[in-house]
Amino acid sequence: RQHEGPRRVKRAWVIPPISVSENHKRIPHLLVQIKSDKQQPGGVVYSIKGPGVDEEPLGVFSIDKSTGKVFLNAMLDREENDRFRLKAFALDLDGATLEDPTDLEIIVVDQNDNRPLFRQDVFTGRVVEGAEPGTCVMTADATDADDPDTDNAVLRYSILEQGTAGMFTINATTGEICTARPGLDRETVGVYNLTVQAADMSGDGLTTTATAVIYLEDINDNPPEFTKEEFSMEVEEQAAGVDVGRVLVHDKDLAGSPNWLAKFTILEGDPEGAFAIRTDPYTNDGVLSVAKVGAGQPGGGLWGGGPTAGLTRRPFRQPLDHEVRDRFELTVSVQNERPPEPAAPASPRALATVRVRVRDVNEAPVFRENPRRVSVLEGTPPGTPVTTYTASDPDTHQLQTLTYALLYDPADWLQLDPRAGTVRTKRELLHPSAFLQGGWYIALLLARDDAEPPLSATGTLSIEILEVNDHAPLLQPPAGVVCGRPGRGGTLLLGATDDDRPPHGAPFHFQLSPQQPQLARNWSIARFNVTHAVLAVLAELPEGPYSLPLLLRDSGSPPRERQQLLNVSVCRCGRDGTCEDGVLAAATAGAGVTLGALMVILGSGILLLALVGLGAARVRGRRRALRKGLLQRSGDDVRDNILNYDEQGGGEEDQDAYDINQLRHPELFSPRARPPTRRDAPLSSATPSAPRKLPSGPSDIEDFINEGLEAADSDPSVPPYDTALIYDYEGSGSVASPLSSIVSSLSDEDQDYDYLSEWGPRFRRLADLYG
C-alpha cells in the first residue's frame, strides 16, 4: 500500500466557559453566541439543555435557535448556584445532528452581598476572679456565605465596647477572647458584657455584632467580718437546747457558696461548755444556743461550726443556774468554711464579744437524796420518828417557804409534818403486808414552794421494815401417839412453826424441859431437820397418856424460846411396831402425826372451805329471791324469773329442801300452815309467823327488807343459811363413802402406808416410819 501522508482533521466546535456576575440586573442579558461550522443552505437550528433551562431552576437561560445567542433571563445568586453546566446542540432543518453536543459552562461571579453571621447572638463564658492576663475565656466566631476564596469572606474581629477597664481582648483572626490585664474582682464587677464585631473584606466590608457575657467566678479572697464588736443577749436559767440570740457577720464573697459560709468558734468565757454556736446556712448568722443538759461539747475551742471528729469532749454539763453564775462574757471568732486563697491578702481573724445575762426564774425544789432509804423495826409504835426528808430550794435569792405532803402512802402508815418534813409512824408497821415489796415500803413525798405559780418536786422514801424476833416457835402438833416399846415404832415426829421471818425462825431446837431431868430416862429427842425432831421411847412404858414438857427455841437474835406440853398417848405395840389398841388410836388420832391424823386435818380443812362457800351462796340466793319477790306488784311481774339455783340439802338423806314458793306466792301459805322442815333444824322449832304485807310503795322497800331479814335470822324453823350446817352424819346405808371413814379405823394395822414412798422425797421419812 502506498503510505498516506498526514491529513488535517477539522476541529469540533468548542465553547469556552462564560462568567457572569451574580445579582446582574439588566435582564435579558446576552451571555454568548454559539455557531456551528457546518452551515446548511436552509440554516442551522440551535438548542440548549440542562439546569436553568429545562431543569430546575427553569427559565434562567434561553437561546435564539436561529442565531445561537444565549441570554440570561433572571438574576443569579452565587450562594445558591455558583455555576451552570449546559449542553448545546446544532441540528439541520430536518432535525439531523450537525455537530456533536458540546458543553456550555456558565460561572457565577461572587459579589460581597452577605454580611458575616455569628454562630449565636450571645456568647457566655466564665473566668475566676484574679485570673492572670492572657487567660482565654471563650471564642466568638462568625461565618460569611460569600466565596471563601475571595476577600468577601475574609473576616476580622474586634471588641467595640466592654466598659472603661479594658479587661479583655479578642484575637482579630480567630475571635478568641482572653484577659488583657490583672485585677479582675468579682466583688467589684461580677459580670462583663462585651460587644464583639465581625467584618468581611478583611475588616473593610460588611459587619455584624454579637454580645459576649463573661461571669467572674468567686474565690475566697474576702474573710467574714462582724457587723459590730459587741452583742448582748439574755436567757432564762434552767433553759436547755434553746436559741439565745444571733451574731451578725458580713462576707463579700458569693452568698451561699463555701467561700461565703461562716464558721463560728467560742474562744473564751465558757469553760463548762454551757453554750453552742452554729451557722444559719441561709443568712450566715451565728446562732448562739444553750447546750443540752448533760451533753458534753467538743473541746479545744473548735466546735459549733465545722466538723468536730477527733476533738476532745468537754465534761458533763450542768444547767444554767442564776444563783451560781448570772452572766457570761464570751469571745467569739468567725472564719470561712473554706480556707482562703493563697493569693488573697492576709487578714486577722474577726473577733466579737457576746455578753449573755442569765435571768432568774422560779425553780422547783430539789430532793438532794432521791430516793431516801431508811430502816425501821417491825412493830414500831405509832408516833415514832422515821426520818426527816426535806428538799432544798435552788432560788437562794428569793424568799420562799417549802411545804411537804404525802403524795403516796398506800397503807396509811405514815404521818408527815408539812413544815419540817419529819416522817413519823401513824400505826404499827407489821410483817407480813401486801404493801411491802421485798420487805420495803415505798412512799412518795411532795415538796412545794409558795411562788406564783408554785413548783413542786417528788421524793421517794423507801422504808425497810426490819424483822424482829418477837415470836417463839410453836409446837405442831401438840399431841401424838407412840408405841410404848423401844426400837419398835416407839418414835414420834415433832414439828414447829414460827411467825417470824428468817433469820429469826428455823432451825428450831427441841429438848426436854431441863426442869424435869428425870424425863431423859424414858424419852429422847433427836434432830430430824431444821424444822422437825424425832421423839423416841428409851424404855418400855405402860399404856396411857403422858404429858412431856418440851422447850423449843428458834435461831433469832436474840433467840426466843417457849416451854410447851406434848401430850403423848402410849399404846400397846403390835408385831410390826404399830399400836394394837384401835380405840386408843382413834381417840387420839386428831392430835397425832400418823397418816390418819393427817388425812383428818386435810379433810376437815376442805370441808370447812366448802361449808363457808355454801353458806355464802345460800345467803346471796335468799336475799336475791327476797328482793325479786318485792316486785310482785309492779307492772312487769318478774317473779317467774326466779329459778331454783344453789339449793343444797343438809346431807344425802335430806331431800326436802326449803320451798322457795313461799317467796314467789306468799299469799298461798296461811298462817296456820306448817312450813317444810329440815332434818338439821331443832325439834322444838316454832311455827314461823304469817307472811307480812308487801310494801305499798318504793319508799317502804328498805324497811320491808330489813324487817324480813331480822325475822329470818330469829326464826329457828328455817334453814340457818348463815351458819354451818351439820354434815358429819350421813345416815346408814349410803352408797357414798362418808368422811368419817378417815377415822373409822381403831388401829393402824389395817392402814396401808406403802404409797407414801411414791409421794416424793418430802414424804420419804414418813414412808420409812409407817411404810
Side-chain angles (χ1 to χ4, degrees):
R1 291 179 55 183
Q2 186 179 356
H3 177 72
E4 294 183 358
R7 185 175 60 179
R8 178 177 178 271
V9 178
K10 185 176 182 179
R11 178 174 60 84
W13 63 329
V14 178
I15 304 174
I18 302 170
S19 298
V20 60
S21 176
E22 65 175 336
N23 302 319
H24 192 82
K25 297 181 180 180
R26 294 182 179 182
I27 302 301
H29 173 65
L30 178 62
L31 295 179
V32 67
Q33 183 178 8
I34 59 175
K35 192 172 184 179
S36 174
D37 293 340
K38 297 181 179 181
Q39 294 291 335
Q40 296 295 325
V44 179
V45 178
Y46 296 98
S47 64
I48 56 176
K49 294 182 179 180
V53 181
D54 56 353
E55 299 177 12
E56 291 293 337
L58 301 176
V60 178
F61 303 101
S62 64
I63 187 172
D64 190 335
K65 61 181 179 179
S66 300
T67 61
K69 293 181 179 180
V70 179
F71 294 94
L72 174 66
N73 299 322
M75 292 179 60
L76 299 177
D77 187 355
R78 192 204 66 84
E79 285 70 39
E80 294 182 2
N81 296 285
D82 59 348
R83 66 186 62 236
F84 295 88
R85 290 184 173 86
L86 307 178
K87 288 291 186 178
F89 300 91
L91 306 174
D92 59 11
L93 294 178
D94 296 330
T97 301
L98 297 179
E99 297 277 0
D100 293 332
T102 186
D103 294 330
L104 176 60
E105 184 177 12
I106 301 174
I107 300 174
V108 182
V109 179
D110 182 52
Q111 288 187 341
N112 190 18
D113 59 346
N114 291 282
R115 293 179 179 276
L117 293 178
F118 281 101
R119 297 186 183 275
Q120 57 196 66
D121 295 334
V122 178
F123 294 88
T124 302
R126 296 180 178 275
V127 64
V128 296
E129 61 176 331
E132 296 292 333
T135 303
C136 294
V137 182
M138 59 183 172
T139 298
D141 54 342
T143 59
D144 197 314
D146 290 328
D147 190 355
D149 297 331
T150 64
D151 285 345
N152 296 335
V154 177
L155 305 180
R156 294 292 182 266
Y157 300 94
S158 61
I159 297 176
L160 298 182
E161 184 180 356
Q162 62 171 321
T164 59
M167 302 300 294
F168 299 93
T169 184
I170 190 170
N171 187 303
T173 304
T174 62
E176 188 176 27
I177 301 175
C178 303
T179 58
R181 62 181 65 185
L184 291 175
D185 188 0
R186 192 204 64 82
E187 288 73 36
T188 303
V189 179
V191 181
Y192 286 87
N193 295 292
L194 281 63
T195 302
V196 182
Q197 175 182 279
D200 57 14
M201 300 296 291
S202 298
D204 297 330
L206 301 177
T207 62
T208 188
T209 60
T211 300
V213 181
I214 300 176
Y215 295 94
L216 298 189
E217 293 185 344
D218 184 56
I219 62 172
N220 191 14
D221 57 347
N222 293 282
E225 298 178 355
F226 288 102
T227 57
K228 55 184 179 180
E229 295 181 355
E230 295 184 0
F231 297 88
S232 297
M233 309 171 187
E234 67 176 24
V235 64
E236 292 183 352
E237 63 175 336
Q238 302 298 322
V242 299
D243 293 340
V244 181
R246 291 173 175 255
V247 291
L248 309 181
V249 296
H250 174 68
D251 195 316
K252 297 179 181 179
D253 290 323
L254 181 63
S257 68
N259 302 324
W260 170 81
L261 193 62
K263 179 178 67 175
F264 297 89
T265 306
I266 299 178
L267 298 180
E268 298 176 357
D270 185 24
E272 298 86 7
F275 297 95
I277 190 168
R278 68 182 188 277
T279 303
D280 187 334
Y282 300 102
T283 63
N284 215 28
D285 298 337
V287 182
L288 185 69
S289 62
V290 181
K292 294 183 178 180
V293 175
Q297 299 296 333
L302 297 175
W303 59 280
T308 59
L311 300 180
T312 59
R313 307 293 293 182
R314 295 187 179 182
F316 186 88
R317 194 189 73 76
Q318 299 296 330
L320 294 177
D321 193 342
H322 172 82
E323 286 72 25
V324 176
R325 186 174 181 180
D326 61 351
R327 64 187 66 250
F328 291 83
E329 185 171 309
L330 311 177
T331 301
V332 181
S333 68
V334 65
Q335 61 187 16
N336 287 124
E337 284 279 358
R338 177 174 292 181
E341 292 291 331
S347 60
R349 180 186 299 185
L351 300 176
T353 300
V354 180
R355 292 184 172 88
V356 181
R357 187 177 72 88
V358 180
R359 189 168 61 251
D360 189 21
V361 297
N362 184 33
E363 300 174 71
V366 177
F367 284 95
R368 301 300 179 185
E369 182 184 356
N370 198 0
R372 167 73 65 84
R373 293 181 173 87
V374 295
S375 299
V376 176
L377 295 176
E378 69 166 330
T380 299
T384 302
V386 177
T387 185
T388 298
Y389 194 19
T390 59
S392 59
D393 193 346
D395 297 312
T396 57
H397 296 173
Q398 303 178 18
L399 297 178
Q400 296 181 358
T401 302
L402 299 183
T403 56
Y404 302 91
L406 278 172
L407 186 62
Y408 178 71
D409 181 18
D412 195 25
W413 277 354
L414 306 176
Q415 57 184 357
L416 176 66
D417 187 333
R419 294 295 179 182
T422 301
V423 180
R424 298 177 181 272
T425 57
K426 188 176 182 180
R427 52 177 49 89
E428 187 176 354
L429 310 183
L430 298 175
H431 265 300
S433 173
F435 301 101
L436 297 182
Q437 302 177 8
W440 289 84
Y441 182 71
I442 307 299
L444 298 180
L445 276 67
L446 184 72
R448 184 191 303 268
D449 60 22
D450 57 354
E452 288 295 336
L455 296 179
S456 61
T458 302
T460 302
L461 178 60
S462 299
I463 304 175
E464 183 183 15
I465 310 301
L466 299 178
E467 181 72 23
V468 176
N469 191 17
D470 52 354
H471 296 87
L474 180 64
L475 183 65
Q476 291 291 342
V481 179
V482 65
C483 178
R485 185 177 301 171
R488 299 192 60 185
T491 58
L492 179 64
L493 183 64
L494 305 178
T497 59
D498 196 324
D499 292 337
D500 294 320
R501 294 186 304 126
H504 301 300
F508 300 126
H509 304 277
F510 299 80
Q511 69 178 101
L512 298 170
S513 174
Q515 300 175 1
Q516 299 184 23
Q518 68 277 8
L519 297 176
R521 294 194 299 268
N522 298 326
W523 307 91
S524 69
I525 296 180
R527 181 175 179 179
F528 180 71
N529 55 26
V530 295
T531 57
H532 290 77
V534 176
L535 175 68
V537 177
L538 298 180
E540 186 169 352
L541 299 176
E543 301 176 23
Y546 292 83
S547 294
L548 303 181
L550 302 183
L551 184 64
L552 276 68
R553 185 173 66 253
D554 59 22
S555 298
S557 179
R560 297 293 296 270
E561 61 182 16
R562 175 185 298 176
Q563 183 166 314
Q564 304 175 59
L565 286 179
L566 173 63
N567 296 318
V568 180
S569 296
V570 177
C571 65
R572 184 171 62 253
C573 295
R575 295 182 180 179
D576 55 354
T578 59
C579 291
E580 292 182 351
D581 190 355
V583 178
L584 178 61
T588 58
V593 294
T594 62
L595 179 61
L598 292 177
M599 295 300 292
V600 168
I601 295 173
L602 180 61
S604 300
I606 296 175
L607 181 61
L608 179 60
L609 292 177
L611 292 177
V612 171
L614 178 61
R618 295 295 293 246
V619 170
R620 286 197 301 270
R622 183 167 179 260
R623 292 183 178 178
R624 184 163 56 247
L626 180 60
R627 295 190 189 100
K628 290 190 176 182
L630 296 177
L631 301 177
Q632 62 179 352
R633 294 186 179 180
S634 62
D636 297 330
D637 193 352
V638 297
R639 287 173 296 179
D640 290 341
N641 294 331
I642 302 177
L643 303 179
N644 295 321
Y645 293 121
D646 297 332
E647 294 190 18
Q648 300 180 17
E652 291 186 356
E653 294 184 350
D654 182 9
Q655 303 299 326
D656 297 325
Y658 182 75
D659 189 3
I660 202 170
N661 288 325
Q662 295 187 50
L663 297 178
R664 296 196 183 101
H665 306 287
E667 68 279 0
L668 300 180
F669 294 88
S670 63
R672 295 183 300 275
R674 177 180 177 85
T677 60
R678 295 178 61 93
R679 298 190 179 186
D680 55 357
L683 297 178
S684 60
S685 300
T687 302
S689 60
R692 295 173 295 115
K693 183 179 180 181
L694 297 177
S696 59
S699 60
D700 300 330
I701 292 179
E702 182 177 0
D703 296 337
F704 179 83
I705 293 175
N706 292 331
E707 293 174 2
L709 291 177
E710 182 179 358
D713 292 338
S714 59
D715 188 355
S717 64
V718 298
Y721 291 101
D722 54 351
T723 59
L725 303 182
I726 303 173
Y727 288 97
D728 58 346
Y729 175 75
E730 299 183 0
S732 61
S734 174
V735 296
S737 298
L739 294 177
S740 60
S741 62
I742 298 177
V743 296
S744 61
S745 177
L746 300 179
S747 65
D748 291 341
E749 295 179 356
D750 55 350
Q751 299 291 333
D752 185 8
Y753 298 103
D754 293 340
Y755 55 82
L756 290 176
S757 59
E758 302 175 358
W759 287 11
R762 295 189 177 182
F763 294 88
R764 185 172 301 164
R765 181 60 178 174
L766 289 175
D768 295 339
L769 293 175
Y770 297 96

